[in-house]
Amino acid sequence: KDEKKWFLNSSLWKRKSLLFKYFIFFLLLTSLFWSFHNNKKNTDFIAKVHLEGLISDRFDVLEKLDKIYENKNLKGLLLVTNSPGGTFVSSKEIFDSLRKISEKVPATTYIREVGTSGAYLASLGTEKIFVNNGTITGSIGVILQSADLTSLLENLGIEPVIVKSGELKTVPNPLEKINDEKLKYMNNIINKMQNQFVNLVKERRNLNQTSIELISDGRIFTGEEAKKINIVD
């Protein structure tokens, strides 16, 4: 009986010992998993965002920038730009988001083949702008395009009927002839937006009067030329 009792106690002890070892192993495995998970979650990083194609209602880019800004592990941002530009408002929205990030961490733009007009405006939101010698940039300006189709419609025997609340409503309208008053009105709007753009470049790039005069007519520059007038780094 004593021998049988000893055998049972010994087997019970072995089972308890084995269960205890399994329990310790499980705790170690769980600890390693959470340690790996937390380290991965808390890893510092530099974000890279691509700005490509036409800039119009680019909520995809704005959403990415917002998420990046909110991440506590963000240590820097690289914006890779390859775009001919787009609308003034959409470009300015991206500029504002980049400015917010650049106040938190270092932010830099690299313009590849093209970064003109609104794309250049957006890039001004970062602290530095780098280019290739063959990059095309600049085109600092605002454009409004329309057409006068009245002669074509007249030849087709079509007479437009236009009812509006004011003389300058829907200007420019391709179904109406343009006159000096309407042209002056449109030029005034464009010039105001142009001044906003140029003043932004002047402020962000600390340009002298010679450079301001060069960029104000909306011309494009190669990367090499842009460096000489200090609109890129």
Side-chain angles (χ1 to χ4, degrees), residues 4 10 29 73 115 134 142 163 165-166 169 205 207 220 232-233:
K4 185 177 180 180
S10 177
L29 196 63
N73 302 117
V142 182
V163 180
S165 59
K169 180 69 176 176
R205 300 300 308 179
L207 300 185
I220 60 173
V232 301
D233 298 288

Side-chain angles (χ1 to χ4, degrees), residues 159-179:
E159 183 178 352
V161 177
I162 302 168
V163 180
K164 56 184 181 179
S165 59
E167 184 62 25
L168 297 179
K169 180 69 176 176
T170 70
V171 174
N173 183 354
L175 303 183
E176 291 182 288
K177 282 191 175 295
I178 196 78
N179 57 34

Side-chain angles (χ1 to χ4, degrees), residues 92 95 121 124 196-204:
K92 184 61 165 53
F95 166 86
L121 190 159
L124 287 170
Q196 290 182 45
F197 196 167
V198 172
N199 286 335
L200 197 60
V201 180
K202 179 182 177 182
E203 175 190 339
R204 296 290 295 153

Side-chain angles (χ1 to χ4, degrees), residues 135-151:
T135 297
I136 297 298
T137 188
S139 188
I140 296 166
V142 182
I143 183 172
L144 175 63
Q145 299 181 103
S146 185
D148 184 351
L149 302 180
T150 54
S151 296

